[in-house]
Amino acid sequence: MRRFALALLVIGVLSGCGLEAGGSVPLRVGPASIRPMAQLDGVRITVGSKDFTEQNILGYLIEFALTAAGAQVRDLTNITGSNSLRDAQLHGQVDVAYDYTGTGWINYLGNETPIPDSDGQFRAVHDADLAAHGMLWADMAPMNNTYALVTTAATGVTRLSDYARLVDSDPNAANTCLGTEFSVRQDGFPGMARKYGIDAGRARKQIMQDALVFTAVANGTCRFGSVAATDGRIQALHLKLLDDDLGFFPKYNAALVLRKSFADAHPQIAEIMAPISRLLTNETIIGLNRQVDVDGREPAEVARDWLVARGFVTAR
């Protein structure tokens, strides 16, 4: 199947911290319940995302919605890594993107202790990032893309506390595949190991691309693996989420992120995206992710068709 040009195929020429690449929106859409707005007519808006399925889908939702409203949208989806997207937003190369509240609180703002409920975490990151960096978090979605460990039913392990004991008693039986970012992030394996008393040096780990973890666990290469909890491959491959019984992993609700100056100049963006964000439940995003990662559809097609089905835009 033809691959749409995902705007930053690490052509991502870096100029200082800036990204000097971009492309047009990959599919044409027209207005439906989202109507053209005079205030956005011809306004140049660059939309970004990170480089995994869910983020690409979320980026395209923004792009198609703002295109239907009359904006001149530039596609910078598929940026490699959270920090690269963050730098692009701070330096004005990306105007709007969906990001995750836990990522903002811990990775961008340097906090070590997450807020235990979604609303509280959103308010905390909203207030702190606005004060420190002039970044506005808006339109939090119900979806919570938290980290998790998965296994198969054959291991009999159901909780992270049980996994920690297995690492201590029989490291080979707890062989774990870790995604690249998860292996080093403080809201990933290092922090989880501290919370659960895991000797990280004793744990048997394999570091790999996130997309490879699912099949590695399903086919027995690893007995456990790190995943995002809203990934459609968890259900498709009959994997089991381990219960985070000590409540380590932060809330990762998706929310729209913009520079406050840009949001103030174009308040219509938040107005357009709010009803879309409200519909993004875990069930919804798992279904959208599965269409890409299991059924082989393109993220842009999946995002557009979902918006069409709900009457936000029309396909052209």
Side-chain angles (χ1 to χ4, degrees), residues 86 89-90 99-101 103-111 121-138 255-260:
R86 173 68 168 186
Q89 288 209 269
L90 289 174
D99 213 326
Y100 302 103
T101 54
T103 301
W105 184 244
I106 293 176
N107 282 72
Y108 303 158
L109 294 169
N111 297 286
Q121 183 66 91
F122 173 77
R123 289 193 299 270
V125 74
H126 172 279
D127 294 348
D129 209 12
L130 186 60
H133 303 109
M135 299 297 290
L136 179 68
W137 292 68
L256 210 64
V257 183
L258 313 88
R259 296 183 307 282
K260 186 176 187 299

Side-chain angles (χ1 to χ4, degrees), residues 64-134:
F64 295 137
L66 298 184
T67 297
Q72 185 178 336
V73 176
R74 187 168 72 122
D75 176 8
L76 264 179
T77 52
N78 215 43
I79 295 172
T80 303
S82 297
N83 290 336
S84 295
L85 175 61
R86 173 68 168 186
D87 286 344
Q89 288 209 269
L90 289 174
H91 291 86
Q93 282 78 29
V94 167
D95 297 314
V96 57
Y98 275 109
D99 213 326
Y100 302 103
T101 54
T103 301
W105 184 244
I106 293 176
N107 282 72
Y108 303 158
L109 294 169
N111 297 286
E112 294 185 359
T113 304
I115 309 298
D117 68 281
S118 290
D119 288 338
Q121 183 66 91
F122 173 77
R123 289 193 299 270
V125 74
H126 172 279
D127 294 348
D129 209 12
L130 186 60
H133 303 109

